[in-house]
């Protein structure tokens, strides 16, 4: 009898410890439950939360346009999920190994990526721009010839730079866009090529750093962001359907206005 009691105490203690360990891990992620009652598998969504205003860390939480849009879409689809800050390069590797079920991270839909992954329908229109210090003589992309350019590794910014000037040491690759911008502030690169909304947000949030954004529609084409899935994921159809509803209902426009202060151009997005 005494032995049995001891065992029960030990089991309860072990259970409590396991619970506490789970609770402690949840600080880096934000999650939402869709309700509904029955225990469903949580969909793990990966992101690189160093890309404001799309995803960034605030008080230990991942916030941004993408975080809000994902939440609206997953609620609409009735899917329980957890958004996880896994980092940019690991995001793609984790999709392939199926450690994560999908990703949202301002990811441009490209033909090359489409060979390995599936994308949702487009949810945002973007383009590359050049970020330089205010006094820079650079006026367009071609002025970057012979200069060192900073990009986030494996992004369409890197692709755009290589298309213009070829691969090589003149293009410096960084783990995050924020680090690439820091490097420019420290004089390590003369310009950063990155997504327009991200460059604009950085300039707006850091007026003292005296930076400017240069647009060059002749040399940078339009890009569309999509949520990303492993190939043939059954999630894609559910997410597409929910995304359409979120766009049609005006919820998308509401989220867009919250983050960009203006109405979205829905006609261009859904054409
Ligand atoms: N749109 C660019 C691309 O897909 C950059 C995205 C970077 N996103 C991020 N969260 N760091 O290549």
């Amino acid at each position: 009898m005494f032995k049995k009691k001891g065992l029960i105490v030990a089991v309860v203690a072990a259970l409590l410890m396991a619970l506490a360990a789970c609770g402690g891990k949840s600080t880096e992620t934000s999650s939402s439950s869709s309700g509904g009652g029955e225990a469903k598998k949580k969909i793990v969504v990966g992101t690189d939360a160093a890309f404001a205003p799309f995803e960034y860390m605030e008080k230990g939480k991942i916030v941004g346009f993408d975080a809000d849009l994902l939440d609206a879409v997953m609620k609409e689809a009735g899917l329980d999920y957890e958004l996880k800050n896994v980092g940019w390069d690991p995001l793609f590797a984790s999709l392939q190994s199926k450690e994560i079920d999908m990703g949202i991270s301002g990811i441009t839909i490209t033909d090359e990526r489409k060979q390995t992954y599936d994308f949702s329908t487009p949810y945002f229109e973007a383009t590359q721009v050049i970020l330089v210090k205010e006094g820079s003589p650079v006026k367009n992309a071609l002025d970057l010839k012979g200069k060192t350019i900073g990009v986030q590794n494996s992004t369409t910014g890197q692709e755009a730079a290589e298309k213009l000037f070829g691969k090589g040491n003149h293009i410096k690759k960084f783990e995050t866009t924020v680090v690439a911008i820091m490097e420019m502030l420290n004089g390590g690169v003369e310009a950063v090529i990155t997504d327009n909304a991200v460059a604009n947000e950085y300039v707006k949030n850091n007026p003292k750093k005296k930076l400017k954004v240069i647009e060059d529609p002749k040399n940078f084409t339009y890009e569309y962001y999509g949520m990303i899935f492993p190939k043939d994921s059954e999630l894609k159809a559910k997410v597409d359907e929910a995304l359409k509803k979120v766009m049609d209902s005006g919820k998308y426009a509401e989220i867009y206005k919250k983050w960009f202060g203006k109405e979205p151009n829905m006609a261009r997005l859904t054409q």
Side-chain angles (χ1 to χ4, degrees):
M1 188 60 193
F2 173 77
K3 256 194 189 161
K4 240 190 196 164
K5 236 189 197 166
L7 190 66
I8 291 170
V9 169
V11 167
V12 169
L15 275 174
L16 282 176
M17 273 163 75
L19 265 177
C22 286
K25 264 191 204 152
S26 65
T27 46
E28 260 216 28
T29 59
S30 63
S31 60
S32 164
S33 127
S34 57
E38 86 260 42
K40 278 184 264 174
K41 189 184 151 279
K42 250 194 195 173
I43 290 159
V44 182
V45 188
T47 195
D48 167 34
F51 205 60
F54 295 100
E55 44 268 325
Y56 59 100
M57 298 306 296
E58 198 175 77
K59 299 190 188 112
K61 253 197 93 185
I62 303 166
V63 297
F65 175 85
D66 281 352
D68 283 355
L69 181 66
L70 176 74
D71 192 63
V73 166
M74 297 310 250
K75 278 206 176 107
E76 180 62 54
L79 295 170
D80 200 5
Y81 76 98
E82 171 188 16
L83 182 57
K84 246 184 150 175
N85 186 14
V86 295
W88 181 247
D89 287 328
L91 197 163
F92 294 89
S94 315
L95 279 170
Q96 274 186 292
S97 63
K98 306 242 167 99
E99 261 164 273
I100 59 175
D101 303 296
M102 61 182 277
I104 186 165
S105 207
I107 304 171
T108 303
I109 304 170
T110 67
D111 286 340
E112 200 193 329
R113 288 175 183 156
K114 275 206 284 198
Q115 291 178 7
T116 317
Y117 310 97
D118 280 345
F119 281 96
S120 69
T121 47
Y123 72 84
F124 197 88
E125 184 183 285
T127 184
Q128 296 302 301
V129 293
I130 303 160
L131 188 60
V132 287
K133 290 188 184 161
E134 255 177 22
S136 166
V138 172
K139 295 212 161 43
N140 58 50
L142 300 181
D143 288 342
L144 292 173
K145 194 172 165 58
K147 299 197 180 345
T148 49
I149 304 164
V151 295
Q152 182 176 12
N153 193 39
S154 304
T155 56
T156 47
Q158 177 183 336
E159 218 175 85
E162 288 176 349
K163 207 172 133 203
L164 286 165
F165 309 113
K167 293 186 185 187
N169 293 337
H170 49 284
I171 299 168
K172 294 221 160 79
K173 299 166 224 157
F174 300 93
E175 200 182 324
T176 69
T177 299
V178 176
V179 175
I181 298 173
M182 300 292 235
E183 189 67 8
M184 181 181 53
L185 292 169
N186 293 331
V189 296
E190 279 181 73
V192 168
I193 299 184
T194 185
D195 298 35
N196 53 343
V198 172
N200 290 332
E201 181 77 5
Y202 194 90
V203 171
K204 190 179 94 194
N205 291 340
N206 298 277
K208 286 200 188 117
K209 304 220 162 114
K210 298 206 180 324
L211 297 173
K212 66 177 174 188
V213 174
I214 300 168
E215 292 173 14
D216 186 344
K218 267 203 201 126
N219 288 296
F220 300 126
T221 52
Y222 281 105
E223 304 180 5
Y224 291 90
Y225 294 169
M227 295 174 222
I228 194 167
F229 310 91
K231 266 244 170 287
D232 300 321
S233 162
E234 54 171 28
L235 269 175
K236 177 185 152 53
K238 291 181 192 167
V239 165
D240 278 348
E241 196 191 324
L243 178 59
K244 186 174 184 320
K245 284 191 188 144
V246 166
M247 284 185 167
D248 291 346
S249 70
K251 181 74 188 166
Y252 176 95
E254 189 187 296
I255 297 169
Y256 189 99
K257 266 185 267 171
K258 170 180 165 190
W259 290 99
F260 299 102
K262 57 179 186 205
E263 291 284 344
N265 187 337
M266 296 309 287
R268 270 192 79 106
L269 249 189
T270 49
Q271 75 193 350

